[in-house]
Amino acid sequence: MATSQANVFTVVSKFYDEYVTTTPQRLKIIDAYLAYIMLTGIFQFGYCLLVGTFPFNSFLSGFISCVASFVLGVCLRVQVNPQNRKDFLHISPERAFADFVFAHIILHLVVMNFIG
Amino acid sequence: MTVSGLQGKLSSTCPKTCPILPNLQKSKSKACCKRKTENKHPGCDRRPPASANTTYQDPPPKSRTIKMSTAVRGKLPWPLKMSYDKQDTLLKLFVLSIAAVLSFSTRLFSVLRFESVIHEFDPYFNYRTTWFLTEEGFYSFHNWFDDRAWYPLGRIIGGTIYPGLMVTSATLYHVLHFFNITIDIRNVCVFLAPLFSSLTTLVTYHLTKELKDVSSGLVAAAMIAAVPGYISRSVAGSYDNEGIAIFCMLLTYLLWIKAVKTGSLFWGAMCALAYFYMVSSWGGYVFLINLIPLHVLALMATGRFSHRIYVAYSAVYSLGTLLSMQISFVGFQPVQSSEHMAALGVFGLCQIHSFIDYLRAKLSKEYFEILFRTMALFVGTAVTGVGAVLMASGSILQLRCLNVSEHQPTTWSSFYCDLQMLVFMFPVGLYYCFCRLTDANIFIVIYGITSIYFAGVMVRLMLVLAPVMCILSGIGVSGILSTYMKNLDISKVQKKTKKTENYPIKNEVASVVIMMMSLFLITYTFHCTWVTSEAYSSPSIVLSARGGDGSRIIFDDFREAYYWLRHNTPEDAKVMSWWDYGYQITAMANRTILVDNNTWNNTHISRVGQAMASSEEHAYEIMRELDVNYVLVIFGGLTGYSSD
């Protein structure tokens, strides 16, 4: 068990090194943004566990806003990644970003309506 | 410049093979040069450049050129003088406009026979709420507490209806009035369902075009214009949720298929907006929110899960759920009730699947195994812990037994009556889908099979089955016709083909099959029109019968009674009747009632029933207690009214 645990840490560190060296700058920016959103979501959920779910619509609105922003960010990352070019033949990175902005406009309009 | 001169001039630049269709025979590639522009090769103008469509995998359509000189071409009628592109577009426009006009006009039987009046019972409630919306505005409508129904309890209308239908009619009404086309709100309500059926025809065309090709789309559009299963709930006057719900449902499916095929966030967001429109219009949206995750699961199971599906489903689920909670009647159900949990589960599964794919691509095999085992242990304990906590609080896994006693299972005769030829063309369409399985085809196969199950359980859900039957039958019919049309020998040119004969008398067999298909389609149309005219066009509020001498007698008793109440009773009079007539009394007589078709309070209904069934003295006491001024009773014994 000790060796496999050591292997897990080496795997993670190796993965981290490879990530830092091979990932393009654009994707690293998106990944930093995703990490920030994940932290925000965790804080919101923790706050809800502490204080309770009233008013439920505000909690849901804020939490789903985090989840949806995270997911849309992942979609943008997937579409912009040059390794996925053959999956998204008609979608240039500029078009992907424009779609991302459009989806976010809809998302934030609904969140503002729902937050009460 | 003569043709030969042109050829001589361009022979040095004439390609040996056609640049667009490289497999074309060398002799035909010279035809490239005879046209003035380089892309006008026979078949070129029908097919986009090869680089654009690798993800779509559409085969090139076979096109025939009939070689004719310019002199002959000049003598043709004007439709045949145009290029193939224009002829194509003209034909498509023509067929679609006829289908749209047909779908509108076939729903007008009762308007022509009687008058433009709202039918049945439920539509009267929708009509009254729409009228209130146009008069009072959206905020009053959203916060409306109705004290004229369910006396003395009242009803919160704003929070217990699906507002899509009313908002659509009110918007249409205001738009028309803005342009000074002053159509009365009653007429807007009566003709809304036929209008939306025309739009449904167009959406069905686009959906089938995405699933298969243009010719299937045209056949499916023509079929859904007339199918009785859909007409039954969307005749002129039947002002009910299903009239627009089917349009919204097919629009959501169309945008979902586009999102799956392109993998673009734009189409995913548009699909979420269409889903919001669907949620606002009908309670049957639950079918959609379970069908789309089922499709994603099927794609995962068949190994077709790709980045495109991830983008499409994540966008649709996250935006769609948030949007669906904006409707008051839906409330927090999308995150609490068991009917929506499948969608949440598949969403989680999508994230996990994508993350594992990403890791697998990054790491080597053994490292991935180690990491996977550790993470699986960790995630498994976390999920089990969270699940145990939630089950202990009892909030999520409440399975509700739906009481379906008011809806009967469907009989075979009902299937045939509502769908006729589509019943046996449906498996043909399934076969053609399985021939060339794509991500989109899997969706329609799943949709077809689940709808068949639900339509077998409840007659009312035949409505959900009708569009998918039309789509699959359209694919089937178009497939058959395309296969056999190729074998027809209509011109002498074809006799020179070098194809080997697979079987004898190809031409005769093809002609027989095509004549049979045409006969099927013709009898389908006759059947549909007959069923619409006889079975589905009765307004139920106006009845007619034949007198002894064959003349038509109209019974307008219902409306006479309601208008008597309206004119001869005080404003605050309370009327007691059985709950069937509640909506009609509030809409036409404008008096307070005790119970209506909403049937949300069975105790109150049983009180009214007790009053109706007791002796006069006892009933009088109950009525004094309930503060009743008038009693309305239907008696059909004299005329043989069937519901008495």
Side-chain angles (χ1 to χ4, degrees):
Chain A
M1 196 61 186
T3 48
S4 75
Q5 266 199 345
N7 278 344
V8 169
F9 289 128
T10 50
V11 164
V12 171
S13 62
K14 190 169 184 300
F15 173 67
Y16 181 71
D17 290 333
E18 206 182 314
Y19 171 79
V20 168
T21 46
T22 53
T23 323
Q25 180 71 359
R26 230 180 221 179
L27 297 183
K28 279 194 201 160
I29 296 176
I30 299 180
D31 287 337
Y33 166 71
L34 292 176
Y36 157 71
I37 290 190
M38 192 182 281
L39 278 177
T40 315
I42 292 174
F43 281 144
Q44 277 197 335
F45 194 68
Y47 178 77
C48 169
L49 287 176
L50 279 175
V51 175
T53 55
F54 182 80
F56 197 47
N57 60 314
S58 309
F59 160 65
L60 263 186
S61 152
F63 187 64
I64 291 185
S65 163
C66 285
V67 169
S69 304
F70 182 81
V71 158
L72 290 174
V74 173
C75 292
L76 177 67
R77 187 189 197 279
V78 153
Q79 286 178 338
V80 160
N81 197 351
Q83 288 168 342
N84 294 335
R85 216 51 217 118
K86 60 172 169 41
D87 268 340
F88 296 106
L89 276 174
H90 298 288
I91 304 179
S92 63
E94 289 77 22
R95 162 87 198 261
F97 187 68
D99 292 344
F100 173 78
V101 168
F102 176 69
H104 263 279
I105 290 174
I106 297 177
L107 173 67
H108 290 298
L109 279 174
V110 184
V111 164
M112 282 199 297
N113 181 42
F114 199 38
I115 206 157
Chain B
M1 192 183 290
T2 61
V3 171
S4 54
L6 186 61
Q7 192 174 12
K9 194 172 162 66
L10 288 179
S11 61
S12 55
T13 58
C14 200
K16 288 271 190 292
T17 51
C18 176
I20 306 294
L21 298 170
N23 295 332
L24 208 61
Q25 290 171 12
K26 205 170 135 195
S27 60
K28 290 191 182 149
S29 67
K30 290 247 176 87
C32 262
C33 305
K34 285 187 184 156
R35 315 290 180 107
K36 293 220 168 100
T37 56
E38 48 187 83
N39 276 348
K40 290 280 188 177
H41 187 279
C44 266
D45 48 7
R46 264 176 228 253
R47 187 160 176 258
S51 59
N53 275 350
T54 44
T55 34
Y56 285 55
Q57 298 156 11
D58 282 335
K62 305 234 174 95
S63 61
R64 280 188 246 175
T65 43
I66 301 173
K67 297 189 176 77
M68 55 176 77
S69 66
T70 44
V72 173
R73 205 177 183 86
K75 289 199 191 114
L76 290 171
W78 64 270
L80 295 177
K81 262 197 249 182
M82 297 184 284
S83 68
Y84 284 113
D85 256 346
K86 287 196 189 137
Q87 281 184 26
D88 213 22
T89 316
L90 182 68
L91 201 59
K92 270 191 274 190
L93 262 177
F94 186 62
V95 172
L96 279 178
S97 343
I98 288 195
V101 168
L102 170 71
S103 68
F104 189 91
S105 28
T106 193
R107 286 161 167 81
L108 298 181
F109 275 104
S110 68
V111 172
L112 294 169
R113 284 178 188 159
F114 301 100
E115 59 177 293
S116 154
V117 71
I118 309 259
H119 296 187
E120 306 243 320
F121 303 110
D122 277 355
Y124 272 99
F125 173 71
N126 297 328
Y127 169 59
R128 179 167 163 252
T129 46
T130 313
W131 180 87
F132 187 87
L133 173 59
T134 54
E135 294 289 312
E136 309 286 333
F138 185 71
Y139 279 112
S140 315
F141 171 76
H142 200 236
N143 299 321
W144 189 13
F145 177 80
D146 187 25
D147 53 356
R148 295 182 77 83
W150 295 92
Y151 182 85
L153 305 162
R155 177 185 172 182
I156 309 170
I157 291 192
T160 56
I161 54 166
Y162 287 104
L165 178 67
M166 298 86 185
V167 170
T168 310
S169 303
T171 313
L172 203 60
Y173 172 81
H174 285 302
V175 163
L176 286 171
H177 275 250
F178 177 74
F179 290 111
N180 282 327
I181 307 172
T182 49
I183 301 186
D184 181 42
I185 184 69
R186 195 197 77 228
N187 286 325
V188 171
C189 293
V190 165
F191 292 105
L192 188 80
L195 174 70
F196 269 80
S197 73
S198 300
L199 298 176
T200 306
T201 313
L202 300 176
V203 170
T204 310
Y205 161 71
H206 282 290
L207 178 57
T208 318
K209 190 176 72 152
E210 292 291 326
L211 291 169
K212 191 91 186 336
D213 55 24
V214 171
S215 40
S216 317
L218 292 173
V219 179
M223 283 177 165
I224 202 169
V227 65
Y230 178 32
I231 290 186
S232 63
R233 304 290 301 184
S234 66
V235 282
S238 175
Y239 181 57
D240 213 349
N241 295 83
E242 288 91 345
I244 61 167
I246 296 297
F247 168 73
C248 302
M249 188 173 78
L250 288 173
L251 184 68
T252 311
Y253 288 150
L254 167 67
L255 294 172
W256 166 248
I257 294 292
K258 281 210 84 85
V260 162
K261 281 175 102 168
T262 61
S264 151
L265 262 182
F266 171 70
W267 290 115
M270 294 302 286
C271 179
L273 285 176
Y275 174 66
F276 171 58
Y277 190 21
M278 174 72 197
V279 171
S280 74
S281 66
W282 196 33
Y285 75 92
V286 181
F287 180 65
L288 265 90
I289 201 59
N290 284 308
L291 186 63
I292 291 181
L294 195 61
H295 179 221
V296 175
L297 261 183
L299 289 175
M300 276 195 219
T302 53
R304 285 167 176 268
F305 186 78
S306 67
H307 290 298
R308 289 196 308 275
I309 318 291
Y310 173 78
V311 169
Y313 185 64
S314 309
V316 168
Y317 180 73
S318 47
L319 288 174
T321 305
L322 192 57
L323 280 166
S324 67
M325 289 197 274
Q326 306 308 302
I327 309 290
S328 322
F329 196 28
V330 173
F332 298 127
Q333 281 179 41
V335 291
Q336 284 177 340
S337 84
S338 56
E339 296 147 349
H340 297 88
M341 283 303 118
L344 179 64
V346 172
F347 181 64
L349 208 59
C350 267
Q351 311 302 317
I352 294 174
H353 198 289
S354 284
F355 187 55
I356 290 180
D357 278 346
Y358 172 70
L359 285 182
R360 195 174 281 172
K362 281 279 188 190
L363 300 173
S364 71
K365 195 169 188 316
E366 62 215 41
Y367 283 164
F368 175 71
E369 293 274 312
I370 297 167
L371 194 63
F372 184 65
R373 252 183 279 135
T374 325
M375 269 177 50
L377 201 64
F378 176 66
V379 169
T381 42
V383 165
T384 322
V386 169
V389 165
L390 285 172
M391 274 175 77
S393 68
S395 62
I396 290 207
L397 289 176
Q398 285 166 1
L399 282 171
R400 246 169 278 163
C401 290
L402 297 167
N403 188 354
V404 291
S405 60
E406 51 180 318
H407 299 292
Q408 301 296 318
T410 325
T411 58
W412 275 111
S413 57
S414 166
F415 265 108
Y416 183 77
C417 181
D418 273 349
L419 300 168
Q420 214 236 4
M421 158 180 133
L422 308 184
V423 168
F424 52 85
M425 275 298 151
F426 168 78
V428 178
L430 273 183
Y431 164 75
Y432 275 107
C433 280
F434 274 109
C435 267
R436 251 189 338 124
L437 264 186
T438 63
D439 296 344
N441 280 352
I442 291 182
F443 173 75
I444 202 71
V445 165
I446 292 177
Y447 178 22
I449 294 176
T450 46
S451 315
I452 288 240
Y453 167 68
F454 284 119
V457 172
M458 244 161 80
V459 178
R460 198 175 166 191
L461 292 180
M462 183 71 85
L463 174 71
V464 172
L465 178 64
V468 71
M469 279 280 196
C470 290
I471 292 175
L472 282 169
S473 306
I475 293 177
V477 167
S478 159
I480 291 178
L481 285 177
S482 317
T483 317
Y484 282 96
M485 285 283 199
K486 281 195 291 246
N487 294 342
L488 279 181
D489 286 342
I490 53 167
S491 66
K492 294 207 177 9
V493 182
Q494 294 309 104
K495 289 227 164 58
K496 286 194 229 156
T497 67
K498 285 179 254 160
K499 268 192 274 212
T500 53
E501 297 288 325
N502 295 334
Y503 54 90
I505 57 167
K506 231 180 182 177
N507 185 31
E508 282 73 19
V509 169
S511 321
V512 164
V513 170
I514 290 179
M515 274 199 307
M516 246 173 40
M517 273 323 296
S518 315
L519 194 68
F520 282 155
L521 290 169
I522 293 172
T523 48
Y524 169 74
T525 317
F526 275 116
H527 170 91
C528 292
T529 320
W530 177 83
V531 166
T532 310
S533 163
E534 291 300 315
Y536 292 138
S537 296
S538 143
S540 302
I541 192 152
V542 181
L543 307 161
S544 82
R546 296 257 163 224
D549 53 353
S551 62
R552 203 163 76 132
I553 309 171
I554 304 270
F555 298 108
D556 211 4
D557 293 352
F558 282 101
R559 291 195 292 174
E560 283 174 17
Y562 299 140
Y563 279 99
W564 184 93
L565 275 177
R566 193 191 188 101
H567 291 136
N568 296 312
T569 59
E571 278 285 330
D572 59 351
K574 289 144 197 86
V575 180
M576 181 174 93
S577 74
W578 194 235
W579 58 259
D580 289 301
Y581 312 104
Y583 282 157
Q584 287 181 343
I585 297 176
T586 39
M588 281 192 268
N590 199 22
R591 294 289 174 265
T592 312
I593 50 157
L594 264 62
V595 288
D596 69 15
N597 307 59
N598 196 23
T599 62
W600 66 268
N601 191 334
N602 287 323
T603 316
H604 210 52
I605 294 179
S606 65
R607 202 88 177 99
V608 170
Q610 188 185 26
M612 297 248 181
S614 318
S615 61
E616 272 188 40
E617 300 82 16
H618 193 205
Y620 185 72
E621 281 170 29
I622 301 177
M623 286 192 222
R624 291 297 295 168
E625 208 180 299
L626 291 172
D627 217 6
V628 170
N629 302 117
Y630 292 89
V631 177
L632 183 124
V633 171
I634 306 285
F635 174 65
L638 193 61
T639 55
Y641 184 46
S642 57
S643 300
D644 197 0

